[in-house]
Amino acid sequence: MESYVDPKKCSICRQNPIKYTCPRCSLRTCSLSCCIEHKKTLNCNGQRDKTLFKSLNTMTDLDLLSDYRFLEEVNRQVETSKRDELANRMKSLNESTRFQKLIQSKLKSLWSIQILYLPRFSTRHKQNQMWFDRKTDDIFWHVECRVFLDTFHTWTITRMPTKDTTLANLLGKFREANQSVSPKVNNFSSEEQVCVYIENFGQKRTQFAYIFFVSGLIINFLQLCSCIIWPFNKELYRKINCYLALGIWSQFTFLAQWWSKSDCVLYIDPVDMERVRKEHAIVIMNHKYDIDWLAGWIICQRLGIMHGSKIVGKQSLRLVPIVGWCWIFTESIFLRRVWESDRETLVKDLRKVLANYPQNYFFNFLLFCEGTRFTEKKRLASMKIAQEKGLPELKHHILPRTKGFTLLLQGAENRITGIYDLNVGFKKSGAEPTFLSIIKGHACQAEIYVRRTPIADIPTDTDGCSDWVHKLYQEKDQIYDYFLRHDTFEGNGLVRVEIPRNYKDLLIELTWMIIIGIPSVIYLCKFLWTSTFLAQFIFVILVILATIGVRAMIAVTETERGSHYGENQKDK
């Protein structure tokens, strides 16, 4: 049985009544000697932790006053730092600042490493012992490491030369500093079995946005110029715009395949995979993810059919800069979501595309029969309509709108020969399937389950076609439910096909970098060096507006920013 400890007695000697309370650890002692002893035993400095979290119900007036003084102290330190920085600028030579800039430029030029310096008054800045040796022209690092083995083990390495900052040396230092746990580290047979996370400061990824923006405007201008050919030779106009559009679409697949290392696996009948290259088709896809369309483009790029990609989409997509304008020139179909006008638009635009289409050039229309992106709120609203019509409930899809598909089928005129049903799923092992994840370089892992139905096997009458679409979506719901349960489509009846990457989109992006990137950097340097302050200010404003525009384009792909179409409307 544990002995009784009197709470009114000193926590160190257990004899004398308590007189003092440590501001940091709240340990109670009776005298100065016991207070010193507790600091040595508990490694306590006796100073109150000003940043320690304290709940509102335990705060007192003294705590509030202490926080106020702490904020005043921080503000005073910031102002002092600004005054010191201003004073340092007045000096002709400032060794610390000069060496900081020297280290920054050296790291950036040799290894493309960007480093940031904390303010001089911060504790981390004072503890950092990183320095640059002018004689040896080498940087000596101050490294803080954390290894997780049952719990986190933290240790610090000082004066480490750049050539020694390897994973093997760091693990060796860890073994020396943590002898008790070193056997666990020795269990690793190679460095590849160690997962390392390094903090990343402000890595910029704006180069691709700039190149995409400029190259897209160039292509849109060329597409506009190609309209002169339309009245005289529609086939030539379509051939030109197919390859011009490829210059834009390939930049998206480059980001996905080469920049973020994302991948897409196909489950398809090998015979159908050969047919899709040699026929006009309508592609029906589920719309549950922000970038399900990008997964489809990756497969189209690898199969060599991306130049014929078109969409049946909402009217507002025409207004999206570059991408929407490109869809206009490549004769995509845009709907107002008002059946009276959309009925005429579908028939007229499809017949215009089918007329005089070039031989040995094939297109595929991407169609989302749900009419909008999936959200649970939209699904619940559509299921109320399904109950009224006596249709089975869908767990993972919105009730499809069948009239538009029926019109497309009736207007196919035996030129469109296949309907491809695509079910897209993103594996849990990959990054979150958003376009921002792709831009940040996070790999997404997608799988696509593809089934082909000959258009001759689908009823052309309104009721028969509507029943076929509803049955299709019931099957799609079961297929996607299988994916959620197994995190893969494998074992669901179709062969797994891994189509290797090709280098076409990589070469296109490198070409744009050479044509646009290098001259732009040279021109920008000359402009910033010779221009006035007003011109530089205008340039900054234009950059900000372009950044906002690119972010707005990304927002078009985000589900939470999608339209509310389908939440309160009846099926049409």
Side-chain angles (χ1 to χ4, degrees), residues 209-227:
Y210 169 74
I211 292 175
F212 171 77
F213 188 77
V214 176
S215 63
L217 291 178
I218 293 173
I219 290 177
N220 287 155
F221 176 74
L222 294 176
Q223 289 178 316
L224 181 62
C225 295
S226 69
C227 292

Side-chain angles (χ1 to χ4, degrees), residues 167-220:
L167 180 57
N169 287 339
L170 291 175
L171 290 176
K173 296 288 185 181
F174 173 72
R175 294 188 185 98
E176 296 174 4
N178 301 270
Q179 296 294 334
S180 59
V181 295
S182 59
K184 296 182 180 180
V185 182
N186 292 329
N187 291 334
F188 297 117
S189 58
S190 66
E191 295 175 18
E192 295 178 355
Q193 297 182 8
V194 182
C195 185
V196 181
Y197 294 90
I198 304 175
E199 292 191 20
N200 186 5
F201 294 98
Q203 187 173 356
K204 297 181 179 180
R205 303 183 184 271
T206 57
Q207 301 94 328
F208 294 116
Y210 169 74
I211 292 175
F212 171 77
F213 188 77
V214 176
S215 63
L217 291 178
I218 293 173
I219 290 177
N220 287 155

Side-chain angles (χ1 to χ4, degrees), residues 271-310:
V271 177
D272 294 340
M273 190 173 69
E274 293 302 321
R275 286 174 177 167
V276 73
R277 293 188 173 103
K278 301 175 182 179
E279 67 176 345
H280 300 308
I282 296 176
V283 178
I284 300 176
M285 183 184 290
N286 57 331
H287 208 5
K288 292 184 67 68
Y289 302 97
D290 292 2
I291 55 171
D292 40 25
W293 53 272
L294 184 55
W297 267 359
I298 291 175
I299 296 300
C300 287
Q301 195 276 335
R302 295 181 182 183
L303 291 174
I305 59 174
M306 191 169 61
H307 59 274
S309 297
K310 307 178 189 297

Side-chain angles (χ1 to χ4, degrees), residues 92-106:
S92 58
L93 288 176
N94 184 340
E95 290 297 315
S96 61
T97 304
R98 188 164 67 88
F99 281 125
Q100 286 181 3
K101 292 182 178 180
L102 184 62
I103 292 173
Q104 283 179 329
S105 60
K106 185 179 180 65

Side-chain angles (χ1 to χ4, degrees), residues 502-541:
N502 55 59
Y503 295 93
K504 293 180 181 179
D505 52 354
L506 177 61
L507 293 175
I508 290 174
E509 186 65 30
L510 290 177
T511 302
W512 284 122
M513 288 181 181
I514 294 172
I515 295 175
I516 298 174
I518 296 175
S520 297
V521 171
I522 297 173
Y523 176 77
L524 178 62
C525 293
K526 291 181 179 179
F527 172 78
L528 295 177
W529 183 260
T530 59
S531 62
T532 62
F533 175 78
L534 178 60
Q536 293 176 358
F537 177 76
I538 295 174
F539 173 77
V540 171
I541 296 298

Side-chain angles (χ1 to χ4, degrees), residues 63-73:
D63 295 324
L64 182 61
L65 180 61
S66 178
D67 289 346
Y68 176 75
R69 289 175 177 171
F70 173 68
L71 293 175
E72 280 191 328
E73 181 183 352

Side-chain angles (χ1 to χ4, degrees), residues 380-393 399:
L380 293 175
S382 69
M383 288 306 100
K384 292 180 181 178
I385 300 174
Q387 291 175 0
E388 296 173 0
K389 295 186 175 183
L391 297 172
E393 182 179 355
L399 191 69

